[in-house]
Every structure is written in C-alpha cells, then in structure tokens.
C-alpha cells in the first residue's frame, strides 16, 4: 500500500515526468535527485521529454495487490534522449510492441487502495499518436 504522504511528495515527478539536472555537469536524473552524485552540486528541476522510443521490453506476469491492470503487464525501458527510464506500457497489444517503437507519455491510474481509498495516478507510455503533416 502506498501512503498518502509518499503520493503527495512524489506527485510532481510522476504527473509531469519531471527529473532533475545538475547545472554544473549537465547530467539528468530520473527519479529526481537533490545532489549530483558526481560533483555534489544541488540539482534543479528538469522537465523530461514526453516522447521517446522503446529500447527493450518484457512482460511481467506477477499479480500485485491493489494495482489496476490485467496481466500480463508490458514494461519497457524508454529512451528519452537525455535519460532512460523504466515505464509500464498501456493501450497496446503485447504482440505490437517492438524495439524502436515511438511512445508518448500517458497519465493513468496505477493503484487503488480499496473502494473508498487512495487512488494513485502515475506515468505510463502508449504508442505515439502520429501528428498530421502540415502543408
């Protein structure tokens, strides 16, 4: 079970896909870090791109209590240019997932604590919707 204080403290990083960046050595981190582990400089909030590409993926078949999603759960490593993050894939048939697939950020319910309990939203990625070409 996720506690309300943890959900509240981490909401910015989860809802906006925000990491941190070191102003001294320019390294990007996700999840955010307070200090750069290389140069010990305080980091700054950094907005991560909302589109990326699948570089590897797998199916998780273990059932987790209170989590919203039928099994199996597709999980991928997403290359966002500046950083690689793990993320659950949604709105896709596992047979259609492939390395190099372009994906975009989607905010979804990830956990429900009972019928009247805490509802936790988080980031997932779905296949990118192609933007229409402009003439």
């Amino acid at each position: 079970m996720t506690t309300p204080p943890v959900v509240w403290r981490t909401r910015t990083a989860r809802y906006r896909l925000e990491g941190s960046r070191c102003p001294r050595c320019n390294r990007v981190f996700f999840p955010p870090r307070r200090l750069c582990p290389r140069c010990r400089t305080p980091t700054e909030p950094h907005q991560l791109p909302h589109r990326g590409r699948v570089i590897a993926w797998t199916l998780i078949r273990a059932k987790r209590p209170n989590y919203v999603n039928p099994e199996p759960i597709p999980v991928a490593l997403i290359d966002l240019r500046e950083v690689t993050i793990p993320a659950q894939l949604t709105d896709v048939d596992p047979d259609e997932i492939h390395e190099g697939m372009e994906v975009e950020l989607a905010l979804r319910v990830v956990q429900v604590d009972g019928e009247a309990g805490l509802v936790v939203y988080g980031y997932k990625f779905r296949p990118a919707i192609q933007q229409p070409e402009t003439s």
Side-chain angles (χ1 to χ4, degrees), residues 43-92:
T43 62
E44 302 170 339
H46 181 72
Q47 182 68 52
L48 297 175
H50 289 182
R51 289 177 83 104
R53 295 197 179 274
V54 171
I55 57 174
W57 68 279
T58 190
L59 292 175
I60 296 177
R61 299 181 190 280
K63 185 171 174 86
R64 297 187 65 185
N66 301 329
Y67 275 71
V68 177
N69 217 3
E71 294 181 61
I73 300 169
V75 177
L77 289 175
I78 309 295
D79 178 11
L80 297 175
R81 293 185 311 269
E82 302 170 313
V83 69
T84 299
I85 67 170
Q88 185 175 335
L89 298 177
T90 187
D91 303 341
V92 64

Side-chain angles (χ1 to χ4, degrees), residues 6 9 11 13 24 35 39 93:
V6 170
R9 279 194 314 269
R11 73 189 182 286
R24 186 172 181 192
L35 294 175
C39 65
D93 184 320

Side-chain angles (χ1 to χ4, degrees), residues 7-123:
V7 171
W8 185 256
R9 279 194 314 269
T10 60
R11 73 189 182 286
T12 301
R14 283 182 295 116
Y15 293 178
R16 294 182 43 207
L17 199 61
E18 185 174 271
S20 60
R21 185 186 67 78
C22 176
R24 186 172 181 192
C25 66
N26 215 29
R27 290 182 70 194
V28 176
F29 306 99
F30 187 84
R33 293 176 166 238
R34 289 185 184 186
L35 294 175
C36 176
R38 179 183 290 168
C39 65
R40 307 303 293 169
T41 302
T43 62
E44 302 170 339
H46 181 72
Q47 182 68 52
L48 297 175
H50 289 182
R51 289 177 83 104
R53 295 197 179 274
V54 171
I55 57 174
W57 68 279
T58 190
L59 292 175
I60 296 177
R61 299 181 190 280
K63 185 171 174 86
R64 297 187 65 185
N66 301 329
Y67 275 71
V68 177
N69 217 3
E71 294 181 61
I73 300 169
V75 177
L77 289 175
I78 309 295
D79 178 11
L80 297 175
R81 293 185 311 269
E82 302 170 313
V83 69
T84 299
I85 67 170
Q88 185 175 335
L89 298 177
T90 187
D91 303 341
V92 64
D93 184 320
D95 293 334
E96 297 174 7
I97 301 169
H98 58 87
E99 291 180 15
M101 182 171 84
E102 190 172 356
V103 291
E104 65 186 5
L105 180 68
L107 187 64
R108 296 286 196 270
V109 172
V110 292
Q111 184 178 0
V112 178
D113 186 21
E115 287 185 28
L118 182 66
V119 177
V120 179
Y121 289 84
Y123 68 92

